[in-house]
């Protein structure tokens, strides 16, 4: 493969990067753009630590090539906050202490964002089902569910 220059819309800003077409989006976000929300977990798209949103849909950035997102809008955990004001999901995760090691938190929050964008009042089972593909080795699931419930209440008008 040869190097190409890509323009990506990331967290509302157009960013340029020179890389090969099949470079994982995760590598570009972390290494080239210094965005540390998405994490490298399994590298196979199975754990959810690398989850980002592309046009509002959750995507595993470790298995998504840069070439596949050049026309979409990428949102990372770093882009959810509005300046110094955290997104309600981020605040709720802090308030509910919904992280132990914190490695899965990115994926949990980004996946929960998609859920709350689609369903503003999910019940506990819907939250658990939505987050089932995000692995947490620490066992913080109960706190995560409480955080998503809190954020849902805070996001209601």
């Amino acid at each position: 493969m040869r190097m190409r220059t890509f323009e990506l819309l990331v967290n509302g800003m157009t960013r340029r990067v020179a890389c090969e077409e099949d470079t994982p989006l995760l590598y570009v976000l972390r290494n080239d753009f210094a965005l540390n929300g998405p994490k490298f977990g399994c590298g196979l798209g199975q754990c959810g630590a690398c989850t980002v949103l592309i046009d509002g849909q959750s995507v595993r950035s470790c298995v998504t090539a840069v070439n596949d997102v050049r026309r979409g809008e990428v949102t990372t955990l770093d882009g959810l906050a509005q300046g110094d004001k955290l997104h309600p999901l981020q605040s709720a995760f802090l308030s509910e202490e919904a992280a132990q090691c914190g490695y899965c938190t990115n994926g949990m929050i980004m996946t929960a964002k998609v859920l709350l964008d689609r369903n503003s009042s999910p019940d506990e089972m819907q939250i658990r089902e939505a987050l089932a593909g995000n692995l947490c080795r620490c066992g913080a699931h109960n706190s995560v569910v409480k955080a998503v419930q809190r954020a849902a209440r805070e996001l209601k008008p």
Side-chain angles (χ1 to χ4, degrees):
M1 291 247 160
R2 63 184 175 94
M3 297 284 278
R4 285 188 45 202
T5 300
F6 293 91
E7 280 192 2
L8 302 175
L9 181 58
V10 179
N11 297 332
M13 295 176 36
T14 300
R15 311 278 301 262
R16 294 175 61 96
V17 64
C19 63
E20 293 182 0
E21 294 177 350
D22 63 347
T23 300
L25 176 61
L26 176 65
Y27 295 1
V28 169
L29 294 173
R30 290 188 61 83
N31 301 338
D32 296 296
F33 299 161
L35 298 171
N36 295 316
K39 306 285 188 248
F40 183 89
C42 66
L44 301 171
Q46 296 176 352
C47 72
C50 67
T51 303
V52 298
L53 305 182
I54 299 177
D55 295 330
Q57 302 297 314
S58 64
V59 173
R60 305 295 168 99
S61 64
C62 72
V63 293
T64 302
V66 167
N67 191 52
D68 295 337
V69 298
R70 64 179 184 246
R71 289 182 184 85
E73 181 175 352
V74 179
T75 305
T76 70
L77 181 66
D78 316 77
L80 288 185
Q82 299 296 316
D84 290 339
K85 186 177 186 316
L86 293 177
H87 185 278
L89 272 165
Q90 292 168 310
S91 296
F93 268 67
L94 289 171
S95 297
E96 294 295 334
E97 298 178 6
Q100 288 183 34
C101 81
Y103 212 80
C104 70
T105 305
N106 171 78
M108 295 286 192
I109 290 175
M110 299 309 286
T111 303
K113 171 127 179 30
V114 173
L115 171 65
L116 294 179
D117 286 349
R118 291 184 184 151
N119 178 356
S120 61
S121 299
D123 63 30
E124 180 178 343
M125 187 55 70
Q126 290 169 320
I127 294 168
R128 289 186 184 280
E129 287 174 8
L131 298 175
N134 294 81
L135 302 180
C136 173
R137 297 182 81 184
C138 299
H141 292 86
N142 291 332
S143 297
V144 168
V145 170
K146 288 178 185 174
V148 175
Q149 290 171 325
R150 177 187 283 238
R153 287 190 304 271
E154 292 176 12
L155 283 166
K156 287 189 179 178

